[in-house]
Amino acid sequence: MMASPNGPSVGLFVTCLVDAMRPQIGFAALRLLEEAGCRVEVPPQQTCCGQPAFNSGDDADAAALARQAIAAFEPYDHVVLPSGSCAGSIRHGYPELLANDRAWAARAARFAAKTHEIMSFLVDVLGFVPEGRRLDASATYHDSCAGLRELGLAAQPRRLLAAVDGLALRPLDGHDVCCGFGGTFCVKYPAISDRIVEEKAEAIERSGAELLLAGDLGCLMNMAGKLHRRGSAVRCYHTIEVVAGMADGPAIGEEG
């Protein structure tokens, strides 16, 4: 099914990292949402969701960004992001940030309720299963912290990947353990972050998989960087790149 004039309207929240570092993930999201029958728009007013400010205790700037996002995306039936961390920040952070703002509290609650991570939206809301996908490769999957713990994102990516012919999923030791990125954590505590991602890279290599997949670009960039520094041949992709049939080009960290 392709985009339908009667399908749900979706505002695609691209996210900062995707826009700046890996636009292909945004195009993969667009392709999948339209294939699932949605009418998709990308509001040009969108900026950062405010997560870095919120996590750093800068509630004033985070709230300002929240209001901007709400105003930009209110016309749509759903708001969809290719990031569990950004989606989780909106769903849980916006109602908290604006709880005492009489003009915005109810709007924030409604906005949070219609915000979804893309793999959850495709599976849980639309019941979408891709067809005609093939990728002859072995892959392992890392469950990013925010998607797993804030949004319950675990079965959905695996269900989508199971529909890709030729793709063999291999288990990953510590698949649900943090990769060490943690947004601002890797900047505040670089030595600890590096040790965590070192252990993650070792587990990825032990899996014997050719590809590493996950649902958050920040985590993927962190793991891809460590794998590259170790001289590993493992290539990293956002899960929706594979599901959209767009994993035939440079992997994360290989661009340019």
Side-chain angles (χ1 to χ4, degrees):
M1 179 171 61
M2 297 301 291
S4 166
N6 299 316
S9 66
V10 169
L12 178 59
F13 204 136
V14 177
T15 79
C16 301
L17 274 183
V18 169
D19 181 46
M21 305 301 296
R22 186 75 171 178
Q24 175 169 291
I25 295 171
F27 289 111
L30 177 62
R31 176 180 292 184
L32 289 171
L33 290 168
E34 289 187 337
E35 187 175 338
C38 301
R39 295 175 288 122
V40 186
E41 294 184 10
V42 183
Q45 308 96 316
Q46 65 180 285
T47 57
C48 176
C49 71
Q51 180 183 172
F54 182 55
N55 290 348
S56 299
D58 183 2
D59 288 357
D61 283 329
L65 288 166
R67 294 185 190 97
Q68 179 174 313
I70 292 168
F73 284 90
E74 269 184 324
Y76 304 100
D77 298 328
H78 304 279
V79 181
V80 177
L81 304 88
S83 165
S85 63
C86 296
S89 184
I90 290 173
R91 288 182 66 92
H92 300 290
Y94 281 19
E96 178 182 340
L97 279 168
L98 300 175
N100 297 320
D101 187 327
R102 295 181 61 182
W104 288 87
R107 294 171 72 179
R110 288 193 297 269
F111 185 77
K114 69 177 184 179
T115 296
H116 311 270
E117 188 278 337
I118 186 169
M119 293 182 287
S120 174
F121 182 67
L122 290 171
V123 173
D124 299 331
V125 178
L126 300 181
F128 172 77
V129 178
E131 297 180 355
R133 303 291 193 270
R134 184 170 192 91
L135 181 61
D136 294 310
S138 60
T140 196
Y141 187 84
H142 165 74
D143 291 283
S144 297
C145 296
L148 179 65
R149 293 168 177 83
E150 293 184 353
L151 303 175
L153 188 66
Q156 301 92 329
R158 291 169 172 86
R159 179 175 175 183
L160 292 169
L161 290 169
V164 180
D165 293 335
L167 184 66
L169 279 179
R170 297 189 177 182
L172 174 63
D173 293 337
H175 61 89
D176 57 352
V177 175
C178 179
C179 75
F181 177 64
T184 56
F185 174 87
C186 65
V187 178
K188 294 178 180 178
Y189 307 103
I192 300 173
S193 173
D194 184 66
R195 185 68 189 112
I196 294 172
V197 75
E198 182 81 22
E199 293 181 358
K200 178 65 69 171
E202 291 170 355
I204 293 165
E205 290 170 342
R206 285 198 305 273
S207 75
E210 300 168 272
L211 307 178
L212 170 66
L213 309 178
D216 260 295
L217 181 56
C219 302
L220 282 161
M221 289 172 60
N222 189 44
M223 293 182 288
K226 175 57 75 172
L227 289 165
H228 176 74
R229 292 191 295 275
R230 289 170 59 89
S232 174
V234 178
R235 308 176 75 212
C236 303
Y237 290 93
H238 194 294
T239 304
I240 64 169
E241 294 180 276
V242 171
V243 177
M246 296 172 62
D248 54 355
I252 292 168
E254 297 177 353
E255 303 93 337

